[in-house]
């Protein structure tokens, strides 16, 4: 399966053989054996390169999962004896990767310097869940998954705050209600959560009786926070990213009542060895909010008709 995937990625038996350090006849023999085992052609040999057959397209995602699972199985076996060797693949949504994991990774490296960490970042919780299901990482850190990938452990709570510049008319306050911001421009981000098929801010503002007026649309949350600090518009962002990553060169306001959701660490199989040690560290060292709701808070989506959110 690894040979098959390499041929697909390179679109060439020659280049795949070079990458795999095998002869081209040996590679072709293995692919033909695989095709015999599944009962049909997976690849169509072209004058220049190869392409997937319909059977190959159906086979590919399962082969990817099988190869990743085999790699994870080897890592899990090596880690079973303890957290002092091997490597650990951690996936996270971008805001957590920027706002929380640097300190966690630093603590981990101090305690386990022989464990190589790989960080995989994703823009949305949907992409995170999809990649974990495909076996990309040993652990994922983000909102509670909508499906049931395996083991799910709550580790902390994420609060969404509002960012404005120092000279804003609300700068002397600590909280603000959403209707008070009806006349303000907003800095929006592609990483904003989607709830019920609708972007969260559109949903919340709509229930408060207005449509948010977008001044700038950014790709990354950290960029949106910088824009808000400069006075471009109001920005909604996770508190841990604003306070720990971007820095408090702005005014941070809490919505009244607050918007919160539980963040979790989840995996396809129960964590062992290095993975379990990482989960334990994450629960111990999670910043700001150490009290985790049970059951987990929903993704700050239950906005009543007056525009407030239920914590």
């Amino acid at each position: 399966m690894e040979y098959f995937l390499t041929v697909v990625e390179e679109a060439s038996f020659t280049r795949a053989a070079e990458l795999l350090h095998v002869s081209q006849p040996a590679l072709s023999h293995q692919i033909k054996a695989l095709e015999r085992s599944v009962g049909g052609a997976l690849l169509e040999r072209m004058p220049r390169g190869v392409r997937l057959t319909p059977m190959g397209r159906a086979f590919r995602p399962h082969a990817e999962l099988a190869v990743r699972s085999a790699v994870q199985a080897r890592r899990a076996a090596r880690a079973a004896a303890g957290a002092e060797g091997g490597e650990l693949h951690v996936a996270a949504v971008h805001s957590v990767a920027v706002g929380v994991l640097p300190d966690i990774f630093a603590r981990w490296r101090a305690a386990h310097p022989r464990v190589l960490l790989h960080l995989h970042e994703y823009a949305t919780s949907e992409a995170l869940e999809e990649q974990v299901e495909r076996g990309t990482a040993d652990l994922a850190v983000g909102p509670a998954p909508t499906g049931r990938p395996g083991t799910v452990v709550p580790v902390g709570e994420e609060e969404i705050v509002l960012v404005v510049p120092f000279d804003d008319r609300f700068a002397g306050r600590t909280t603000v209600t959403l209707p008070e911001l009806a006349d303000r421009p907003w800095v929006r981000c592609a990483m904003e959560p989607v709830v019920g098929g609708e972007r969260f801010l559109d949903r919340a503002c709509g229930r408060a009786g207005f449509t948010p007026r977008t001044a700038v649309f950014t790709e990354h949350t950290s960029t949106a926070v910088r824009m808000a600090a400069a006075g471009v518009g109001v920005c909604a962002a996770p508190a841990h990213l604003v306070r720990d990553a971007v820095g408090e060169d702005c005014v941070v306001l809490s919505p009244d009542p607050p918007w919160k959701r539980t963040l979790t660490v989840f995996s396809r199989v129960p964590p062992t060895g290095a993975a379990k040690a990482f989960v334990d560290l994450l629960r111990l060292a999670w910043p700001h909010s150490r009290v985790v709701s049970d059951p987990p808070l929903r993704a700050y989506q239950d906005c009543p008709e007056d525009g407030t959110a239920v914590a």
Side-chain angles (χ1 to χ4, degrees):
M1 290 185 188
E2 184 178 2
Y3 285 4
F4 162 77
L5 292 173
T6 305
V7 172
V8 172
E9 291 166 3
E10 297 300 317
S12 166
F13 274 83
T14 301
R15 290 195 297 272
E18 292 173 354
L19 284 175
L20 294 166
H21 304 292
V22 298
S23 68
Q24 188 168 331
L27 175 60
S28 296
H29 175 76
Q30 291 294 326
I31 296 298
K32 290 177 180 177
L34 177 64
E35 290 177 323
R36 285 196 299 270
S37 72
V38 300
L42 301 173
L43 297 170
E44 182 180 357
R45 283 73 170 170
M46 309 289 290
R48 294 184 178 180
V50 296
R51 68 182 179 186
L52 289 166
T53 64
M55 182 178 285
R57 287 194 293 273
F59 182 78
R60 181 181 184 178
H62 299 283
E64 290 174 337
L65 179 58
V67 170
R68 291 193 181 108
S69 294
V71 172
Q72 285 184 301
R74 288 194 292 270
R75 289 202 301 265
R78 289 196 297 267
E84 297 306 324
E87 58 188 48
L88 188 65
H89 288 246
V90 179
V93 290
H94 174 75
S95 61
V96 170
V98 174
V100 175
L101 292 187
D103 180 62
I104 302 295
F105 274 35
R107 296 188 188 200
W108 175 265
R109 292 297 299 163
H112 308 288
R114 294 176 55 196
V115 179
L116 174 63
L117 294 174
H118 293 264
L119 177 61
H120 306 264
E121 296 183 58
Y122 299 100
T124 65
S125 56
E126 292 79 12
L128 177 66
E129 290 183 44
E130 178 184 349
Q131 291 301 316
V132 170
E133 181 63 28
R134 295 179 63 185
T136 300
D138 302 301
L139 299 170
V141 187
T146 54
R148 295 195 174 275
T151 302
V152 181
V153 179
V155 293
E157 288 180 359
E158 176 182 75
E159 179 183 2
I160 296 297
V161 296
L162 302 171
V163 179
V164 296
F166 284 122
D167 59 354
D168 191 89
R169 69 173 185 261
F170 294 127
R173 296 169 53 174
T174 58
T175 64
V176 65
T177 64
L178 198 55
E180 290 180 281
L181 301 171
D183 64 335
R184 306 295 292 276
W186 291 79
V187 180
R188 307 288 294 276
C189 177
M191 297 179 180
E192 183 180 323
V194 175
V195 178
E198 188 177 12
R199 289 189 176 276
F200 167 69
L201 192 61
D202 290 330
R203 179 187 179 96
C205 292
R207 294 194 170 192
F210 69 95
T211 299
R213 177 165 53 89
T214 302
V216 174
F217 195 87
T218 71
E219 291 294 326
H220 297 284
T221 312
S222 52
T223 304
V225 171
R226 289 294 191 192
M227 291 285 181
V232 176
V234 181
C235 168
H240 54 74
L241 184 145
V242 178
R243 293 173 177 142
D244 294 339
V246 181
E248 292 195 20
D249 57 351
C250 54
V251 174
V252 178
L253 302 171
S254 294
D256 181 20
W259 293 336
K260 294 183 179 181
R261 66 177 174 181
T262 297
L263 292 182
T264 66
V265 57
F266 57 94
S267 58
R268 293 171 56 229
V269 297
T272 60
K276 184 179 184 303
F278 189 88
V279 173
D280 292 342
L281 173 63
L282 197 59
R283 299 192 73 187
L284 177 66
W286 192 269
H288 306 305
S289 176
R290 301 294 176 84
V291 178
V292 180
S293 299
D294 187 16
L297 295 170
R298 284 168 288 186
Y300 38 76
Q301 71 231 47
D302 296 320
C303 304
E305 295 304 325
D306 63 358
T308 61
V310 176

